[in-house]
Amino acid sequence: MSEIRKHYFLDEYCIIATERGKRPSDFVSKKIEKPSVSNCVFCAGNEDKTPPSTAVYKKGDILKDTEEELVKDWEVRCIPNLYPAVSTRSVKPVLSGWEVQEGFGFHEVIVESPTHGRTLSSFSDDEIELLMKVYRDRVHYYHFKENIQYVSLFKNWGERAGASLEHIHSQLIALPILPPVLKREQDAIHAADGCPYCNMIEKERKSERMIRENNDFVAIAPYFSKSPFEVWILPKHHVNHLINCTAEMLRSFGEMIRFVLFRYEEILDFPSYNYMFYGIFDDDSYHLNVRCHPILSTPAGFEKNTDIYINTATPEDTAMYLKCE
Ligand SMILES: [Zn+2]
Ligand SMILES: [Zn+2]
């Protein structure tokens, strides 16, 4: 079967093209056994092998390394990225006759556990809640820095997802521009009658694509899915940004992310994945969401040529496989 599906509210298309009867195991790739990392810079005890922390979470306190002392026995540790995509130092761009601006911004790594080899699916309720609080704090901190327009928060897990270190971590890049992908959504939302995401949730909740619901969030295999086993997590009640989530919301947000990752591990055998947060703090009309993409296929010539993605798993099957526990 093959269908060209249009996005809920944007001028975007994906192709759902599945061979009949494809099962999750058909997407599982052979893993290469890697030797365990003996000198991982993110592991507890190796604090001196990274730049000094920007924030360290320890027993309810938020601390920071000083020149005299590095904080030990931490729960979550935030550090500047050693190879930042953007820089806090002012460097005048080379004038080429084309539009250019300084590569200004902040690039931070959030080390999510002191212990090597853990995955988020094994986090306790308190651990996942703390992590969500760290996400909110750090995004909040950078959002209000001068000249920052957008803070991108994302996680790459596994080699195929672009993670260069296997110790669990997320990253945050604060930019002086609002990415066009969000600007396009914003324009479409302003032109729409009511919030398109609220509208989508209301309809999808009753559909076969609904995966799970908890106190504040839903997980959906969206009708418009660009990649196999794509999942969107959205607050049931309209909230525009992670910064505006209450403590209770963060708890159920984390619980839902953990559930989705746990199910990925169960049915897809620890696939590499990305998840990304979408929100526009200065615009109440936006609707916060997280998109989870296990890396089960590689965008190639057609996708690059057309920006139309071919997805070989139907969202309807994805929901069916992910929801049964
Ligand atoms: Zn490690
Ligand atoms: Zn909404």
Side-chain angles (χ1 to χ4, degrees):
M1 109 167 208
S2 177
E3 284 178 14
I4 301 178
R5 294 188 178 181
K6 190 171 180 294
H7 186 281
Y8 294 103
F9 60 94
L10 296 173
D11 211 6
E12 267 191 56
Y13 298 88
C14 65
I15 298 176
I16 307 292
T18 177
E19 295 151 43
R20 288 169 65 173
K22 216 167 177 180
R23 303 180 60 79
S25 56
D26 297 326
F27 289 95
V28 175
S29 60
K30 279 222 158 50
K31 295 211 167 47
I32 307 148
E33 287 295 324
K34 273 192 300 184
S36 69
V37 184
S38 55
N39 231 356
C40 168
V41 296
F42 292 166
C43 275
N46 287 344
E47 290 80 10
D48 59 337
K49 295 193 172 68
T50 67
S53 62
T54 37
V56 182
Y57 289 74
K58 178 179 173 174
K59 298 189 177 92
D61 288 327
I62 304 170
L63 309 164
K64 231 174 158 176
D65 293 337
T66 61
E67 280 193 20
E68 296 81 48
E69 200 188 355
L70 302 173
V71 183
K72 303 278 181 181
D73 303 319
W74 43 272
E75 283 138 27
V76 178
R77 183 168 191 257
C78 308
I79 48 178
N81 193 308
L82 198 53
Y83 307 104
V86 284
S87 166
T88 48
R89 275 173 304 163
S90 184
V91 183
K92 277 240 169 326
V94 180
L95 292 176
S96 60
W98 302 102
E99 195 179 319
V100 64
Q101 57 177 296
E102 194 187 311
F104 166 77
F106 301 88
H107 192 167
E108 181 165 295
V109 176
I110 299 169
V111 183
E112 297 168 327
S113 164
T115 310
H116 204 89
R118 288 197 70 188
T119 60
L120 289 195
S121 63
S122 73
F123 272 35
S124 68
D125 289 348
D126 288 345
E127 286 173 319
I128 198 82
E129 187 182 354
L130 172 66
L131 179 61
M132 298 305 292
K133 185 175 150 0
V134 175
Y135 283 169
R136 186 183 62 182
D137 287 357
R138 300 313 290 162
V139 169
H140 183 272
Y141 175 75
Y142 286 108
H143 184 80
F144 288 99
K145 288 252 185 203
E146 205 178 341
N147 294 327
I148 291 301
Q149 295 272 329
Y150 184 76
V151 182
S152 169
L153 173 64
F154 57 95
K155 182 178 174 73
N156 303 334
W157 191 86
E159 219 165 345
R160 287 187 79 191
S164 47
L165 291 165
E166 67 175 22
H167 193 124
I168 43 166
H169 63 281
S170 292
Q171 297 180 63
L172 165 166
I173 298 183
L175 292 172
I177 49 174
L178 181 67
V181 59
L182 280 133
K183 181 78 183 72
R184 267 200 304 276
E185 276 198 41
Q186 190 180 33
D187 291 345
I189 290 169
H190 289 170
D193 185 14
C195 170
Y197 280 108
C198 283
N199 182 30
M200 182 268 263
I201 293 166
E202 197 193 315
K203 287 190 183 136
E204 293 289 50
R205 255 167 116 174
K206 296 173 217 140
S207 81
E208 57 193 322
R209 290 173 294 275
M210 174 74 183
I211 300 167
R212 191 160 173 269
E213 184 168 347
N214 67 11
N215 283 350
D216 299 298
F217 286 82
V218 288
I220 290 165
Y223 174 81
F224 173 86
S225 286
K226 285 168 132 178
S227 59
F229 290 84
E230 179 170 346
V231 173
W232 292 5
I233 297 172
L234 308 106
K236 293 196 272 192
H237 303 293
H238 188 93
V239 176
N240 65 330
H241 199 281
L242 178 65
I243 295 174
N244 289 326
C245 285
T246 61
E248 296 87 85
M249 285 183 76
L250 290 181
R251 201 170 174 90
S252 74
F253 203 173
E255 195 271 332
M256 192 60 96
I257 291 176
R258 182 180 63 187
F259 169 83
V260 171
L261 300 180
F262 173 73
R263 293 299 296 152
Y264 281 166
E265 290 178 0
E266 289 265 299
I267 64 169
L268 297 165
D269 191 21
F270 291 84
S272 295
Y273 66 83
N274 308 114
Y275 63 67
M276 297 76 65
F277 287 74
Y278 291 76
I280 305 179
F281 181 73
D282 309 306
D283 187 347
D284 287 338
S285 68
Y286 195 77
H287 194 120
L288 166 68
N289 64 91
V290 164
R291 299 176 206 172
C292 310
H293 293 185
I295 314 301
L296 307 168
S297 59
T298 311
F302 176 73
E303 283 82 1
K304 290 175 185 174
N305 183 220
T306 60
D307 201 29
I308 296 170
Y309 282 71
I310 300 173
N311 178 356
T312 54
T314 70
E316 294 72 25
D317 282 351
T318 294
M320 179 185 76
Y321 286 119
L322 287 176
K323 71 183 156 198
C324 44
E325 280 180 87

